[in-house]
Amino acid sequence: MMRASQSPARSSPAPPETGQPVPARGAGFEVDWIFARSLRMRPVWDMVERVAPTDATVLITGESGVGKEVVARTLHLKSPRRDRPFVKVNCAALPAELLESELLGYERGAFTGAHRPKPGKFELAHGGTIFLDEVGELPIHLQAKLLQVLQDREFSPLGSTRDVRVDIRVIAATNRDLAERVQRGEFRDDLYYRLNVMSIFVPPLRDRRDEIPQLVEHFLQKYAAQYGRPEPRLSPETWRVFMEYAWPGNIRELENCLKRIVLLESEDFVAALVNGAPQRPSVAVTPALPVAPSRPVWDAQLGLKEIARRAAHEAEGLALREVLDQVRWHRVEAARRLKVSYKTLLQKMKQHGLGLALAVAGALSARV
Ligand SMILES: Nc1ncnc2c1ncn2[C@@H]1O[C@H](COP(=O)(O)OP(=O)(O)O)[C@@H](O)[C@H]1O
Ligand SMILES: [Mg+2]
């Protein structure tokens, strides 16, 4: 039921090998990130593969620094619009009036100081993708404007009587709980439903710690090369902190930390992350997934029992994923093949963060 065989995902290029840096080029920008071999990110990259080729509006949610912009850019680069503009608008960065003229553009004389006409971001994104970052911060009257543009793909620049028609794909991101803002009357529900046609939740770094080794390696190489410094070898103690710290600033914080290590040629400050800094509540912290065997640095500290427990957990997760894929996410069938009850299967899926994958896959097959 999930993956119709004629779904766009089938005809799109295969996902890149996991764990490889993927430099990608589009019109005017280049991104390099890694598709880490993380169970928690599988649903994200699967979803990217499936929705990228479509024109569907996508809402990307997740804490600050988890990679929402990376996901947005990937969607654009994997879409037929890749050679057209990708225009980012940070809805939190400008006061309301400026944001409005930024989005819609204006004619000469539209307001004092408007000496020359200026095209808005919607117009600049024509043929391509507009990325509305921090969309949760959009002031309420601009929410109405945005809704109108989304519905009609047509708008008038400030001070203009002409209608501008645009062909744009809309991707929005927020670190806010938009549903909650809707409840509190701070965000229009009709706009929320428009934006939330497809949603992609990017989990916090503390829930996908198995990516840390690859990310660390990636950033060390990148910044050592960029600053012409030797590539540092991290101590086991630093690795331990990296694997245990809650990373409230997510990948951005990890990246800055590594940049600092490269520049200072010292990792002394790292220990303070766990000793001094306030930690996030551990409620949301799932047990760290096992680390790649090629990087046994912190394994040695775990003890055999814990190593075995984690290995079993990983094997279970991989088997679940594999079988679910084989049976196209038919849970009754998956339970039968895995020789567990339906209830146990649901429990296990939840434990392995596969509930979300199912929800998004389901929503997608219903719409695409
Ligand atoms: N998978 C990844 N591989 C490499 N770098 C990443 C990855 N995900 C995020 N980053 C980096 O982390 C930083 C924060 O990512 P960003 O997409 O801006 O997060 P958000 O938009 O959620 O705040 C950026 O510098 C980005 O390049
Ligand atoms: Mg961002």
Side-chain angles (χ1 to χ4, degrees):
M1 74 180 163
M2 284 317 152
R3 288 186 185 165
S5 54
Q6 32 327 35
S7 87
R10 290 287 153 127
S11 53
S12 71
E17 277 301 301
T18 52
Q20 297 298 311
V22 179
R25 278 162 200 78
F29 71 93
E30 193 174 306
V31 274
D32 70 314
W33 58 79
I34 57 169
F35 291 79
R37 195 189 302 275
S38 157
L39 226 44
R40 296 299 300 267
M41 284 299 276
R42 269 290 291 275
V44 173
W45 297 128
D46 283 356
M47 187 68 173
V48 165
E49 291 298 327
R50 293 184 201 187
V51 292
T54 73
D55 259 351
T57 301
V58 183
L59 179 66
I60 306 168
T61 61
E63 291 175 14
S64 189
V66 289
K68 296 187 294 300
E69 185 168 340
V70 164
V71 168
R73 288 179 183 275
T74 311
L75 283 169
H76 175 74
L77 289 177
K78 286 176 168 284
S79 81
R81 295 169 180 263
R82 70 180 68 86
D83 295 321
R84 308 302 306 272
F86 176 91
V87 176
K88 174 181 163 177
V89 183
N90 186 334
C91 301
L94 292 174
E97 319 77 66
L98 284 180
L99 186 57
E100 179 165 21
S101 62
E102 185 84 0
L103 283 170
L104 303 176
Y106 49 83
E107 296 295 351
R108 194 161 81 99
F111 45 86
T112 17
H115 300 302
R116 284 191 293 162
K118 191 181 163 198
K121 299 274 188 179
F122 286 128
E123 208 169 336
L124 292 174
H126 182 61
T129 303
I130 190 160
F131 174 46
L132 302 168
D133 201 7
E134 319 239 20
V135 77
E137 313 306 314
L138 204 65
I140 203 100
H141 81 279
L142 283 182
Q143 291 175 22
K145 271 269 154 55
L146 174 60
L147 182 67
Q148 187 212 320
V149 177
L150 290 183
Q151 269 162 359
D152 308 341
R153 310 276 154 170
E154 202 171 80
F155 63 94
S156 308
L158 299 181
S160 167
T161 47
R162 79 192 160 101
D163 285 330
V164 178
R165 273 204 76 76
V166 283
D167 164 28
I168 45 176
R169 201 255 177 105
V170 179
I171 301 177
T174 182
N175 56 14
R176 298 276 207 137
D177 183 345
L178 270 195
E180 191 200 71
R181 300 211 79 189
V182 168
Q183 293 241 303
R184 284 192 279 140
E186 293 162 356
F187 203 87
R188 292 180 66 117
D189 57 351
D190 43 9
L191 177 59
Y192 174 64
Y193 296 122
R194 270 269 159 186
L195 292 176
N196 202 20
V197 176
M198 293 292 150
S199 64
I200 299 183
F201 169 70
V202 186
L205 184 58
R206 62 181 174 279
D207 288 351
R208 44 179 171 123
R209 292 173 192 273
D210 54 335
E211 285 185 26
I212 292 175
Q214 288 171 322
L215 288 167
V216 167
E217 212 165 347
H218 170 71
F219 291 131
L220 284 180
Q221 273 168 15
K222 174 172 166 181
Y223 290 111
Q226 187 167 320
Y227 297 120
R229 300 287 170 97
E231 201 183 310
R233 266 195 69 83
L234 303 179
S235 70
E237 176 55 19
T238 295
W239 276 110
R240 192 185 63 75
V241 172
F242 279 178
M243 297 310 286
E244 282 174 9
Y245 180 53
W247 297 111
N250 294 295
I251 298 183
R252 182 173 296 113
E253 186 182 7
L254 176 67
E255 179 171 6
N256 288 337
C257 182
L258 292 161
K259 202 190 280 185
R260 218 168 134 195
I261 290 178
V262 169
L263 281 172
L264 297 175
E265 292 182 32
S266 159
E267 54 196 275
D268 294 346
F269 68 93
V270 171
L273 288 178
V274 275
N275 300 329
Q279 292 276 297
R280 284 202 165 227
S282 56
V283 203
V285 179
T286 53
L289 286 161
V291 292
S294 56
R295 277 216 160 269
V297 191
W298 51 87
D299 278 15
Q301 328 223 353
L302 286 175
L304 206 50
K305 257 206 179 121
E306 180 58 14
I307 293 170
R309 195 190 66 76
R310 291 183 188 205
H313 182 77
E314 183 185 36
E316 200 176 78
L318 291 175
L320 263 176
R321 188 67 217 212
E322 189 77 41
V323 170
L324 280 164
D325 272 347
Q326 278 170 16
V327 301
R328 302 197 170 176
W329 291 75
H330 194 292
R331 288 168 294 178
V332 175
E333 176 63 11
R336 199 185 61 76
R337 289 207 195 176
L338 289 163
K339 301 186 175 62
V340 291
S341 72
Y342 182 68
K343 202 171 143 217
T344 305
L345 180 86
L346 293 189
Q347 259 169 15
K348 292 284 179 194
M349 285 176 65
K350 208 167 155 202
Q351 277 168 20
H352 288 277
L354 294 172
L356 176 78
L358 185 70
V360 293
L364 191 74
S365 69
R367 285 168 196 273
V368 173

